[in-house]
Amino acid sequence: MKLFVSEGNPHCLKVLAALGLTGAQCDVQHVNHEERVVPFLSRPTLPALLLPSGQHLFSANTICQYFFELSGKEASDLSIQWLEWEATELQPAVQQALHLGVLQSKGAEASKALQGPLNYLEQSLRKKTTPYLSAEAVSVADVVLWASLYPALSITSLATGDHKTLQGWFERVGDVPACQAAVQRVLQGKGQETLKSYLQKHPAPHSQAPRSRDTPLSTSSTPNESDESDHVISEEEMEAAALTWSRGLDNCPLAKDRQHPVLPQEGKRNILVTSALPYVNNVPHLGNIIGCVLSADVFARYGRLRDWNLLFVCGTDEYGTATENKAREEGLTPQQICDKYHAVHASIYRWFQVDFDYFGRTTTEKQTEIAQNIFWRLHERGFLVEDLVEQLRCESCQRFLADRFVEGVCPHCSYPEARGDQCDKCGRLINAVELREPQCKVCRQTPVIRSSKHLFLDLPKLEGDLEKWLDASAGTGDWTANAKQITRSWLRDGLKPRCITRDLKWGTPVPHPDFEGKVFYVWFDAPIGYLSITANYTDQWEKWWKNPQQVELYNFMAKDNVPFHSVVFPCSLLGAQDNYTLVNHLVATEYLNYEDTKFSKSRGVGVFGDMAQDTGIPSDVWRFYLLYLRPEGQDSAFSWADMALKNNSELLNNLGNFINRAGMFVGKFFEGVVPVMELRQEDKSLLAQVGWELRQYLQLMDKVKIRDALKCILNISRHGNQYIQVNEPWKKIKGSDSDRQRAGTVTGVSVNVACLLSVMLQPYMPTVSQTIRDQLAAPHACTATMLKGTGSFVCALPAGHRIGTVSPLFQKLESDQIEALKKRFGGQQTVAQQSPASAQAVPDPAVSGAAVVNGADPERARQLTQAVAEQGDKVRVLKTQKADKAAITAEVAKLLDLKKQLALAEGKAPEAPPQKGKKK
């Protein structure tokens, strides 16, 4: 194993302390912060652990768990709960405090940022009878929380207040030699100076909107006893919630059907939503879907529920080299390829229930007309310049070669199959003429370097106007942190003229007579597709795109598209000087990976859009899981085991269980009619808690915090389940008149909470949302009422309301089903990751001819020793990733079988498995 760490990185404190404490055998290599040691991640991530199997672990907490597992110290449930709290609550607060205190010298604000988590930890520790968090000895939870707090409590002394129990625990853990050694290795005696260097290279985290910290710590000796994990409800809030509830749906307007074309309206909030135009030449995978169209769809659905006047457009980006290349591969014309794959994209998005107002394409007359108009306006105003460009030309094909049509040896790392624009191995950008031993990908002949005259957009000339606009837009709009950071880095490096023309045939023609035969470069042409697609939707398109006074523009995309939407395209529109609507809110996601690698159509790795519908899993469940792990602040990874876990726990056992129980009680105990409700204080408390979560949901969705807002929905159903469990209406219905009345109140309140959930779910799971409303026979007016303004939880289903037939909303995903899907979409990995327990994995000695002495077989023992080590790694990784229990059990069984084979190969009698049962 090899552990990669960097100086000054507080996360490396955790892993080095865990390594020292457990005594795991591992090489440690110090690298700089920018070094990318995990090849499939798009950005440097440290610490990282390279396992003997070739897999990487790159979560500090997971690495710590792995080291403890390796030493036979399996993390207890309580330790795992503490690790989750540290990752979701403590770590963000510490990071925010460090940036405020160390970089901005705002000590008071930094201390304030830490107070919540420190108070929580102090109260929890006071209740403990053990010296450490979960046991008599230092556990993985102690190491992780101590290391997370060390920079704040020891280096900067940010903490204030009375935290004596916390301080005592912190000092006890810090006295452990392994922790002291870790501090020395990471900070090297430089303290705050080293920490400051690290923080300067890592952006400050967002301060999130307040939310209910639904902490998983729930056993009797946990911090949850303090009830600080929930919003504390005051008497005034209870009474206000009860008053709001009592108003019901009277005089609420009915929801209006959408009328096309949607056009801006005076006095309304006019929202224009675009999703990055997907390339037409391939099938989108899950990462593409969540990165742009699905995220935009959720926000668009939400905006319509809020009664915003909203238009949502998208379409396929159809011009450029990639399309020509795909056409050549499939023996079709570029137009035929576009027609074929446009239909594929449209079909996929329909299945995922993406509700565009219009889904168009860029190969249209409107695209040519608008792109050429913007070109001439830029030309007339002096924002285009000419220059000669050295390009590779294939004399055999009689054409200049676009980047994707040439490959050769990378000039940086000598990878033999580097493309003309980028090397897939080292990730460096390349100019095609820099390639060594270049080849035309069409005919495999060696191209020659030739000069060609091209037009460039003069970005330096537009830089002043751009910065002035950016200050206003990014300063007042909801730009994601990565969008701001990427844009700033482009400006910091200084803008350079950017070529807008190409020597291709498939594209929008350049109308200038001196550049006949050339087309517009796709980066210049494609964003104009937003305008032309809208123009194909309505001939009044300029009311959206030349109306910045009335229209707010939201752009949704993955982070690799940010520079084109924040710098290049705005410069084109600013230079055209035609009152264009520019982006107000730029929403960019990080990347979604697949399991522990990248999606790859050619290798059959990952789920692509046209495959999801063949899994038998409903599109709403796909939507839910993708949105649950939406990569908002950092890259995330799709995992089959985690998808099953979230489906079975959050959807089936939490959300579905509550809604189904509420409806079933009405049908079973009250003949399908909502009973009379007489509210007590505990009912009002639930109304207030639900109302608070609703307000958080609206605040988060308004700020396009889609993943965080989803947690509010799940929090409400958790509150509802707890409310039902505490009040036990199934028992009270059999009791006295007073008990029956109580059962009626609890049932009536619960079914109204279910109605609210159906409204909040609509942007995320539209089919499930409609199913709930149908089962409850919910009035149409409930949507407009509950999501109006800051949110109103009203009694939408009053006493006497008759509901429909209630049935379960979700199905369990079984472990064998998930394992089959994982193998199906694992591609070539499946072969490489097969269990070494198979007969083929370890050669039979009779076949291999290995010598067998006294029943022992040294060669087979050597092979089995390696197989046992690799299988052990696999089991530990599954445990630290909290995989499905059945999957872990299966892999443990393989490990035990391998150990039995190893014992035989070593000439020993295999150990008998431990006997389970009662002791006599």
Side-chain angles (χ1 to χ4, degrees), residues 375-420:
F375 165 81
W376 279 121
R377 293 185 70 88
L378 289 167
H379 188 273
E380 290 161 3
R381 286 157 180 77
F383 293 120
L384 299 179
V385 293
E386 295 181 13
D387 201 358
L388 287 175
V389 177
E390 286 191 335
Q391 293 177 259
L392 292 176
R393 178 179 171 82
C394 178
E395 299 297 350
S396 174
C397 297
Q398 287 294 296
R399 60 186 292 171
F400 283 98
L401 296 179
D403 298 338
R404 291 174 180 265
F405 282 111
V406 61
E407 66 181 23
V409 178
C410 174
H412 306 293
C413 72
S414 299
Y415 178 60
E417 296 177 7
R419 299 196 313 270

Side-chain angles (χ1 to χ4, degrees), residues 456-461 463 490 493-499 568:
F456 290 70
L457 179 61
D458 195 348
L459 293 178
K461 200 170 183 179
E463 193 164 351
W490 268 58
D493 297 340
L495 299 181
K496 300 173 181 60
R498 194 166 179 94
C499 187
V568 182

Side-chain angles (χ1 to χ4, degrees), residues 155-225:
I155 301 177
T156 58
S157 302
L158 288 176
T160 59
D162 186 15
H163 299 117
K164 293 179 181 178
T165 311
L166 167 59
Q167 193 66 36
W169 163 83
F170 181 77
E171 290 172 0
R172 279 195 299 278
V173 180
D175 287 339
V176 173
C179 294
Q180 295 176 352
V183 170
Q184 185 58 37
R185 291 187 76 168
V186 173
L187 301 175
Q188 299 187 1
K190 301 176 186 175
Q192 190 163 324
E193 178 185 342
T194 309
L195 184 64
K196 188 173 185 178
S197 173
Y198 171 84
L199 292 171
Q200 285 172 337
K201 295 175 182 177
H202 292 78
H206 306 300
S207 53
Q208 296 184 342
R211 60 185 180 86
S212 174
R213 291 176 293 157
D214 196 38
T215 310
L217 302 169
S218 56
T219 60
S220 59
S221 60
T222 66
N224 212 33
E225 292 172 318

